[in-house]
Amino acid sequence: MSNDVLTNQARAETDRESRLPEVWASAAAQKLPRYTSYPTARAFAPMDDRGRSEFDATLGRDRPDHRLSAYVHVPFCQRLCWYCGCHTSVVHDYARVAAFHRTILKEVDLWADRLGEHAGLAHLHFGGGSPNALAPEDLIQLIDRLSDRLSLRPGAEVAVELDPALMSTDFAQAAGAAGVTRASLGVQTFDPDVQALINRVQPYERVAQAVSDLRAAGVSAINFDLMYGLPGQSPDIVADTAEQALTLRPDRLAVFGYAHVPWMKKHQAMIRDRDLADVAARWEQAAAMDAVLVEAGYVRIGLDHYARPDDALALAARGGYLRRNFQGYTDDPADVLVPVGPSSIGRFEGGYVQNAVAQNVWRDAMADGRLPVGRQLVLSAGDRLRADIIERLMCDLQVDVGAICQSHGLDGRALDAELANVVALSRLGLCEVQDRVLRVPEPARRLMRVVAACFDADTDLQGAVAV
Ligand code: SF4
């Protein structure tokens, strides 16, 4: 190839890369899903009587070879961060949490009584809210109950999300004693001015103490959540936070962009629009954090996770068995996810279910001896096909669409109409397509959901980015 051709190719690639933030802006404006599931939770509908009886029948079926996962939602916090987008409420009186704890023990019993035979619980994940809103002894009792009633397997992962500023040494010791193997700390930012702007003040020393307490208690795996796009952040500020985070040697990090939706989350109105970066500046912040983490030797995982090269998530990514779920990315292969706690989402053979979001509705179900499931989505054959393609793309950055169509008993050309949209995106540098195999190149990693949206049956999203 002549030097001229090479120069022209390099120029075209540089042009394409320089346009990526613009594409990102367009994707952001369309509010594309992050595809932690497909279809996404907004497609869930209220469960009717027929749906309920079909669900009960599926649930009771014996699957002696199937391992379970469970997600436990603790919907309480001791403070309200202004950027929060979670289902939670602030409590200052432990009586409310104690009542929740009594009810959730009943829910564990209900699920255990209704599930058919299974191979035990291989992954248990506590999220919220802040699970450390529970008293240490209540955490131990809840893990014991789950372990006992859902048969926690030896070597199972027990992961807990934590608010590090408010986590006591007693709680860390309880987590260790209860068998917690992994803690995810919501660090977000170490910058004191940004912390003040989001109402989440937690000095570096406090986070370092939390990490030290957890490790001393035997919780050896530590994850951090970091954020960009928060008020007052700049590329330098997020890079400093990443550098500080690395001094505490986390095994994994997840890096999320702040979503400012004050019309949905009223408390976000405390964050002033003028303190927020525009879309192009958000891209620079994400890139600055990425550069620090990659330079330090962390491996990029999927859309927004990073891990040490020897971490199980990095091994799963390398081995092609990484999975996408509501907690982000996982190496957990379980197809059954049991939802515990208000608003929790579960997955069973037939599709997704979601527990009642309102705590009183959730509580009333248990008082009546009913499972608190309120919404569901029964997966069609088309949903399963598209879900497989989207999941592989979001995990591997590449997918053989023709092969997946054939594995679902279809002609390899079944999604050629969707592929035509992908080919159009390839002109923007978002993907490469050859023989129905798609690949998202490294510079477009942060835009993989734009490519994934081409396979979303919601046609409004398929054409989300103007080409
Ligand atoms: S600790 Fe987490 S869940 Fe609780 S208010 Fe803050 S961001 Fe939301």
Side-chain angles (χ1 to χ4, degrees), residues 221-235:
I222 300 291
N223 296 9
F224 284 172
D225 288 349
L226 303 180
M227 292 181 80
Y228 62 86
L230 291 171
Q233 282 183 315
S234 68

Side-chain angles (χ1 to χ4, degrees), residues 223-396:
N223 296 9
F224 284 172
D225 288 349
L226 303 180
M227 292 181 80
Y228 62 86
L230 291 171
Q233 282 183 315
S234 68
D236 285 347
I237 286 175
V238 298
D240 283 351
T241 281
E243 300 273 10
Q244 286 181 278
L246 294 182
T247 62
L248 300 173
R249 297 177 291 107
D251 299 275
R252 299 177 188 170
L253 301 105
V255 176
F256 301 118
Y258 168 55
H260 190 55
V261 286
W263 54 94
M264 285 168 64
K265 296 284 177 185
K266 301 283 180 231
H267 52 267
Q268 289 186 351
M270 300 298 288
I271 291 177
R272 297 174 303 192
D273 287 355
R274 69 168 184 266
D275 291 329
L276 294 171
D278 64 17
V279 177
R282 283 168 62 96
W283 176 275
E284 285 174 24
Q285 291 177 20
M289 209 173 263
D290 175 87
V292 172
L293 300 180
V294 171
E295 170 69 25
Y298 285 79
V299 176
R300 296 184 182 106
I301 308 285
L303 179 65
D304 45 19
H305 283 42
Y306 297 82
R308 291 175 175 276
D310 57 350
D311 181 89
L313 213 56
L315 298 179
R318 270 205 298 284
Y321 56 91
L322 186 68
R323 303 292 305 268
R324 182 100 171 119
N325 70 7
F326 294 101
Q327 281 79 57
Y329 287 96
T330 179
D331 59 336
D332 172 17
D335 283 326
V336 173
L337 173 64
V338 180
V340 185
S343 81
S344 280
I345 295 176
R347 182 175 172 157
F348 295 88
E349 262 165 36
Y352 296 104
V353 294
Q354 183 175 26
N355 282 352
V357 174
Q359 285 184 40
N360 59 334
V361 178
W362 171 79
R363 204 173 39 236
D364 288 352
M366 253 72 70
D368 295 346
R370 287 181 286 112
L371 286 172
V373 174
R375 289 158 63 80
Q376 72 173 152
L377 178 84
V378 177
L379 290 170
S380 68
D383 291 336
R384 291 177 196 277
L385 168 68
R386 291 168 187 273
D388 270 1
I389 291 169
I390 289 173
E391 186 178 24
R392 288 330 321 147
L393 194 59
M394 298 295 291
C395 291
D396 304 339

